[in-house]
């Protein structure tokens, strides 16, 4: 049996899943670290993801050192990873990650990148291989499903890629981790989704002292 197609993101209380976009080469270059725009971006991103950065499982997976919190949030982070047999992402997320991820990229499964750039598969240590798909989101999903087997496919991001999959009815389930921060501006999760075509059913909710985890199943109206 094929697994589910899902996404899982952290969102600010006012609906943003990322700060306003800045050039990825600025964020991850030594010169860019002194740019006030980059500093604001990093501060906002760190505040949004503070719950995840503190978890023992996340720290171990990215080899950030020993220690970290255990409990509900740690279990959610681990379960998201363990259910994923393959991931799909857009070009922008890959380009940022290519600069930021360690050599042993944190996925440890096949990743399918939706892009117009033609490129041979890029194999990394630890089981992650990036495949570059040039013929659209449905083709990327089909290849990811085949690679994942009976495990789930995660639409990893960024926002535009998630919105495309959601708006075309290809997502079976999604989770939003609601963080108690306010951005005011930034990249909204649902900006390009047609609300007249989409109905949501809330299937699960759980809260820790840091964040609230909300799970939904989408359906066409």
């Amino acid at each position: 049996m094929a697994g589910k197609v899902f996404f899982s993101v952290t969102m600010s209380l006012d609906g943003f899943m990322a700060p306003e976009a800045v050039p990825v080469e600025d964020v991850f270059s030594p010169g860019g670290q002194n740019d006030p725009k980059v500093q604001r971006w990093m501060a906002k991103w760190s505040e949004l993801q503070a719950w995840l950065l503190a978890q023992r499982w996340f720290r171990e997976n990215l080899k950030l050192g020993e220690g970290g919190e255990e409990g509900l949030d740690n279990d959610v982070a681990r379960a998201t990873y363990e259910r994923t047999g393959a991931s799909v992402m857009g070009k922008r997320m890959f380009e940022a990650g290519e600069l930021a991820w360690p050599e042993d990229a944190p996925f440890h499964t096949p990743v399918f990148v939706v892009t117009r750039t033609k490129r041979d598969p890029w194999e990394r240590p630890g089981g992650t291989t990036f495949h570059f798909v040039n013929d659209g989101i449905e083709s990327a999903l089909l290849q990811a499903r085949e690679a994942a087997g009976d495990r789930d496919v995660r639409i990893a991001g960024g926002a535009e890629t998630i919105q495309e999959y959601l708006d075309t009815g290809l997502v079976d389930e999604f989770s939003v981790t609601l963080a108690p921060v306010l951005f005011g501006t930034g990249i909204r999760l649902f900006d390009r989704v047609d609300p007249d075509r989409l109905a949501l059913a809330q299937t699960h909710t759980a809260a820790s002292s840091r964040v609230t985890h909300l799970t939904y199943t989408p359906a066409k109206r």
Side-chain angles (χ1 to χ4, degrees), residues 6 57 61 74-86 106-107 109 148 150-152 154:
F6 80 104
W57 180 87
N61 189 43
N74 193 58
D75 293 344
V76 167
R78 182 190 296 109
T80 300
Y81 169 82
E82 290 178 347
R83 69 184 285 192
T84 302
F107 300 95
T109 59
D150 59 358
R151 295 172 73 191
D152 296 339
R154 182 181 185 185

Side-chain angles (χ1 to χ4, degrees), residues 8 15 33 42 56 59 61 116 129 142-143 154 160 167 181 191:
S8 177
Q33 302 303 307
M42 291 298 295
R56 175 183 288 274
R59 293 181 57 80
N61 189 43
R116 292 180 180 153
T129 299
L142 184 64
Q143 294 177 57
R154 182 181 185 185
E160 290 187 9
D167 205 38
V181 299
D191 254 357

Side-chain angles (χ1 to χ4, degrees), residues 73 176-180 205-208 210-214:
D73 295 335
V176 172
T177 295
L178 199 60
T205 180
S208 70
R210 285 184 176 273
V211 291
T212 301
H213 304 281
L214 305 169

Side-chain angles (χ1 to χ4, degrees), residues 26-143:
D26 290 349
V27 175
F28 299 109
S29 69
Q33 302 303 307
N34 296 322
D35 186 332
K37 290 182 180 179
V38 171
Q39 292 174 347
R40 284 195 297 273
W41 191 96
M42 291 298 295
K44 284 187 172 184
W45 180 254
S46 297
E47 187 177 14
L48 183 69
Q49 302 294 344
W51 75 274
L52 182 59
L53 298 172
Q55 304 311 312
R56 175 183 288 274
W57 180 87
F58 182 83
R59 293 181 57 80
E60 290 175 351
N61 189 43
L62 265 71
K63 297 180 173 59
L64 298 178
E66 297 181 356
E69 298 178 4
E70 297 187 39
L72 172 66
D73 295 335
N74 193 58
D75 293 344
V76 167
R78 182 190 296 109
T80 300
Y81 169 82
E82 290 178 347
R83 69 184 285 192
T84 302
S87 297
V88 177
M89 68 178 59
K91 178 183 178 182
R92 177 176 170 80
M93 181 175 179
F94 171 76
E95 288 177 341
E98 189 175 17
L99 296 172
W101 293 319
E103 184 180 12
D104 183 357
F107 300 95
H108 310 298
T109 59
V111 178
F112 295 84
V113 182
V114 181
T115 177
R116 292 180 180 153
T117 302
K118 293 188 177 182
R119 179 171 170 178
D120 291 334
W122 187 39
E123 186 175 350
R124 311 304 295 148
T128 302
T129 299
F130 295 94
H131 302 270
F132 302 90
V133 182
N134 307 128
D135 52 351
I137 64 170
E138 293 190 16
S139 176
L141 180 56
L142 184 64
Q143 294 177 57

Side-chain angles (χ1 to χ4, degrees), residues 5-9 154-155 162 166 171 173-175 189-190:
V5 178
F6 80 104
F7 67 84
S8 177
V9 300
R154 182 181 185 185
I155 310 302
I162 288 174
L166 191 58
V171 173
E173 177 183 289
F174 69 87
S175 296
L189 176 58
F190 299 110

Side-chain angles (χ1 to χ4, degrees), residues 162-212:
I162 288 174
Q163 290 161 6
E164 281 189 84
Y165 278 102
L166 191 58
D167 205 38
T168 51
L170 295 173
V171 173
D172 300 313
E173 177 183 289
F174 69 87
S175 296
V176 172
T177 295
L178 199 60
V181 299
L182 299 173
F183 275 11
T185 60
I187 299 173
R188 289 190 179 276
L189 176 58
F190 299 110
D191 254 357
R192 302 189 182 192
V193 176
D194 185 353
D196 293 331
R197 298 174 53 192
L198 189 68
L200 301 177
Q202 184 167 307
T203 59
H204 184 71
T205 180
S208 70
S209 60
R210 285 184 176 273
V211 291
T212 301

